[in-house]
Amino acid sequence: FVAAALAGIYVIWKKSLVASHIRTIGSNRIRAELSGIDIKKAEFKAIMMGSIFMGFSAVFFLTNSGLVQPVLNMASMSLCFDAMIAVFIGMSLQRYISMPIAIIIGVFTIKMLGTGILSLGIPSYMQNVFTGVFLIIFMGISINQNKIFEIRENKKRAKQIKEKYGF
């Protein structure tokens, strides 16, 4: 069932006209409007598709937890925080693989991080702290990725020059 759902999400994201319009609006709203895309209609369809996926997510969450309880204060923060970090990871991986697969990798990464923190014996309330630190480190690396590659290339060139000229 999960494989069929993932395949459906992939097909919707890559092959549907609505998803193409959403990506176009997301990349350049003015260009999308000038190319004839009805932005309000596309946004409405995007919200409807998101609502459908959120409904599926709620069903999966309910079947996983078995009950629904009201959440007080900031108890829902970890649920929202994990989802945001998964999307951030997906957005940074988007240049290498398609967005739905990248977000799924982000979800697995966050879940493995949480499970690893708990298996180390660290209290569960500290999980948000470690997740926040992971987010800061991950975003710092992904934002400065071009600079990191440039530094590596400069080191390789310096090594080649050193070997060639014997410095």
Side-chain angles (χ1 to χ4, degrees):
F1 179 72
V2 174
L6 293 178
I9 291 170
Y10 181 79
V11 168
I12 289 171
W13 184 252
K14 283 295 192 182
K15 304 295 182 185
S16 72
L17 185 63
V18 175
S20 175
H21 287 174
I22 292 168
R23 287 192 306 269
T24 305
I25 292 169
S27 65
N28 192 337
R29 190 177 184 92
I30 295 170
R31 186 176 292 161
E33 191 172 5
L34 292 175
S35 66
I37 296 174
D38 186 4
I39 293 177
K40 295 288 184 189
K41 186 177 178 182
E43 286 176 343
F44 176 76
K45 288 180 180 179
I47 291 170
M48 292 303 294
M49 285 174 47
S51 300
I52 291 169
F53 288 132
M54 184 57 80
F56 286 137
S57 174
V59 168
F60 290 144
F61 182 76
L62 183 61
T63 57
N64 189 22
S65 64
L67 64 133
V68 177
Q69 294 178 340
V71 179
L72 302 174
N73 300 328
M74 296 293 283
S76 66
M77 186 62 185
S78 66
L79 186 64
C80 298
F81 199 55
D82 289 350
M84 287 182 355
I85 295 174
V87 171
F88 286 144
I89 292 171
M91 288 171 61
S92 66
L93 294 176
Q94 183 180 6
R95 67 178 98 166
Y96 305 112
I97 54 177
S98 69
M99 185 66 148
I101 295 172
I103 291 176
I104 291 167
I105 290 172
V107 169
F108 283 130
T109 303
I110 291 301
K111 290 300 177 185
M112 284 190 301
L113 179 69
T115 304
I117 290 169
L118 290 177
S119 66
L120 289 174
I122 299 171
S124 62
Y125 63 87
M126 290 295 290
Q127 184 175 352
N128 287 340
V129 174
F130 281 97
T131 307
V133 169
F134 174 77
L135 174 65
I136 290 170
I137 292 170
F138 183 81
M139 294 304 290
I141 290 172
S142 66
I143 288 171
N144 296 314
Q145 194 170 18
N146 291 335
K147 291 180 184 178
I148 293 170
F149 286 138
E150 186 178 314
I151 290 170
R152 284 184 181 173
E153 288 297 320
N154 288 340
K155 285 184 179 182
K156 283 182 185 177
R157 277 192 234 127
K159 185 177 179 182
Q160 289 172 351
I161 291 171
K162 186 177 180 181
E163 290 173 356
K164 184 176 182 180
Y165 296 109
F167 286 112

